[in-house]
Amino acid sequence: PNCPCSLASFIASSGSETVNLLPVLYSLYLKAEEESERMKKYVLKRLLQLIPILLAITFLSFGMMRIAGSDVVEQKMENTGSDISQEVVGAAREELGLDKPFLTQYVVWLGGLLHGDMGTSYVSGKPVFSTFISKLPATLLLTVVSILLTILISIPLGILAAVHQNRFSDYLIRTLSFIGNSLPNFFVSLLLMYLFAIRLGWFPVIATGVSFKSVAMPAITLAIAMSAKYLRQVRAAVLDELSQDYVVGAKARGIRFSTTLWGSVMKASLVTIITLLMLSVGSLLGGTAIVESIFMWDGVGKMAVDAISMRDYPIIQAYVMWMAIIYVAVNLLTDISYRFLDPRIRLGGEER
């Protein structure tokens, strides 16, 4: 009577041999239910942990911006280049609520956030939420293209270097990796801009909108840096698996090396690869300020740089919250993916 209806109907329509499988099937069902319940509790626990993290991070960033030495009103007055009376400055600060004590400002901002109001930009006068949302498509496009290019470059080259260890191709790939790691992003950006935009004219010097043609050079810049770092990690992970006993045993049984490589070695290496890629996704979704500023790519990173330079506190707070949420979400998805890739790993990192 306690078994699920689908299982009961299956048994009723089957013979006596199926009935003998009832304890096994029911045990598997209970185990699946237990695993599902454990997963729900783990996800809920991680989401609840996000609340104190957000409170701590937003409070610290709120305080650090207030002790920066100037605010948005002073920045605006300095940019005008004219002599503004203190009465005008005081009235402007009062209008924005900057004359209130620090804790009062933070509580007012937090109260508005809990009611779904992220505030209004001090510079543009537009709602922070709509401003932030308008920058997300550019950041998402740059993230997706950069990650795809990184996968296409780092994983094949990392596998090739591992399979041909200590051969010419391995030395060449590792040399290119060292060169890629040593080049800063701004130098690669300027180099690509000169070669592909100025000399060849294939791409625009400055991004002209959210399009694949405009995103090409920023994405290539980021992919070069990430691939140079990650292909060495992929090589190390594959080499570690190739030294395992099951690879030697498969070779002794006459199993083709390609079958072992793609069917077993790569599957075992996925945990390392997924970790690297998810970390990159988190940093890319937070914006890459230098690259976005050089190519004038209108994403979250450039928005954050502009907000910091103008002391636009509401925009900065929205960016800080976005970064905290992204990293918690990325880490959560990474932990869950571990559970499916390697059943030995329990949620929370404990192995069976």
Side-chain angles (χ1 to χ4, degrees):
N2 295 326
C3 63
C5 296
S6 58
L7 183 60
S9 60
F10 174 73
I11 294 171
S13 61
S14 305
S16 59
E17 293 183 1
T18 304
V19 176
N20 294 332
L21 296 176
L22 175 60
V24 177
L25 295 176
Y26 190 54
S27 175
L28 292 175
Y29 171 78
L30 292 178
K31 186 176 294 185
E33 286 291 310
E34 181 183 354
E35 183 68 22
S36 175
E37 190 65 26
R38 187 185 299 116
M39 179 75 72
K40 292 178 182 178
K41 290 181 179 179
Y42 179 73
V43 172
L44 179 60
K45 176 183 176 182
R46 292 292 295 269
L47 292 178
L48 290 177
Q49 290 175 352
L50 180 61
I51 297 176
I53 292 175
L54 285 178
L55 287 175
I57 291 178
T58 55
F59 182 81
L60 289 175
S61 64
F62 209 86
M64 291 176 66
M65 292 304 301
R66 270 22 180 220
I67 63 176
S70 62
D71 55 31
V72 63
V73 175
E74 295 179 4
Q75 291 288 331
K76 284 184 175 181
M77 300 307 174
E78 291 177 1
N79 291 337
T80 60
S82 57
D83 189 16
I84 307 297
S85 64
Q86 289 299 318
E87 289 78 9
V88 175
V89 174
R93 297 184 81 253
E94 183 178 357
E95 181 182 358
L96 296 175
L98 298 175
D99 60 324
K100 297 181 175 62
F102 162 71
L103 287 178
T104 303
Q105 294 183 46
Y106 179 74
V107 170
V108 170
W109 174 83
L110 186 60
L113 179 65
L114 295 177
H115 289 84
D117 181 16
M118 300 181 71
T120 303
S121 170
Y122 291 164
V123 177
S124 65
K126 297 179 180 179
V128 171
F129 183 77
S130 61
T131 301
F132 190 82
I133 291 297
S134 67
K135 309 296 181 182
L136 275 183
T139 297
L140 292 175
L141 178 61
L142 181 60
T143 299
V144 171
V145 177
S146 301
I147 289 295
L148 289 178
L149 289 176
T150 301
I151 292 174
L152 293 175
I153 296 173
S154 61
I155 294 181
L157 290 181
I159 296 173
L160 180 64
V163 172
H164 298 281
Q165 183 184 15
N166 296 329
R167 298 181 187 175
F168 174 77
S169 57
D170 182 25
Y171 292 133
L172 177 61
I173 291 172
R174 282 193 285 171
T175 301
L176 294 175
S177 173
F178 282 125
I179 295 174
N181 276 320
S182 64
L183 296 177
N185 278 343
F186 75 88
F187 179 77
V188 177
S189 300
L190 296 177
L191 189 63
L192 293 177
M193 187 181 293
Y194 173 76
L195 179 61
F196 293 110
I198 298 177
R199 299 291 295 180
L200 299 176
W202 291 354
F203 305 107
V205 177
I206 296 176
T208 56
V210 182
S211 64
F212 285 103
K213 191 172 184 179
S214 297
V215 78
M217 288 200 296
I220 293 173
T221 301
L222 296 172
I224 289 175
M226 292 189 296
S227 298
K229 177 172 59 176
Y230 293 160
L231 71 85
R232 296 180 62 83
Q233 302 294 333
V234 173
R235 175 183 179 274
V238 174
L239 279 177
D240 182 62
E241 289 300 320
L242 288 176
S243 64
Q244 300 297 321
D245 292 337
Y246 73 87
V247 177
V248 179
K251 184 178 180 180
R253 291 193 299 270
I255 300 176
R256 294 176 60 183
F257 176 73
S258 59
T259 302
T260 306
L261 176 64
W262 298 107
S264 301
V265 173
M266 285 307 301
K267 184 177 180 181
S269 304
L270 278 178
V271 172
T272 300
I273 296 173
I274 291 295
T275 302
L276 297 173
L277 291 178
M278 294 303 282
L279 289 175
S280 295
V281 168
S283 61
L284 290 173
L285 286 176
T288 50
I290 295 177
V291 174
E292 289 185 9
S293 299
I294 290 176
F295 291 103
M296 296 302 291
W297 183 255
D298 197 18
V300 173
K302 183 176 179 298
M303 178 199 70
V305 172
D306 294 340
I308 292 173
S309 63
M310 292 300 298
R311 303 295 190 271
D312 197 348
Y313 299 146
I315 295 290
I316 297 172
Q317 288 297 101
Y319 175 76
V320 170
M321 285 190 58
W322 167 253
M323 290 295 295
I325 293 173
I326 281 299
Y327 273 99
V328 171
V330 165
N331 287 330
L332 176 60
L333 292 175
T334 304
D335 289 345
I336 294 175
S337 67
Y338 286 168
R339 186 66 184 88
F340 290 102
L341 291 173
D342 190 348
R344 297 172 301 173
I345 300 177
R346 295 179 179 231
L347 293 175
E350 180 185 357
E351 290 198 3
R352 294 181 187 272

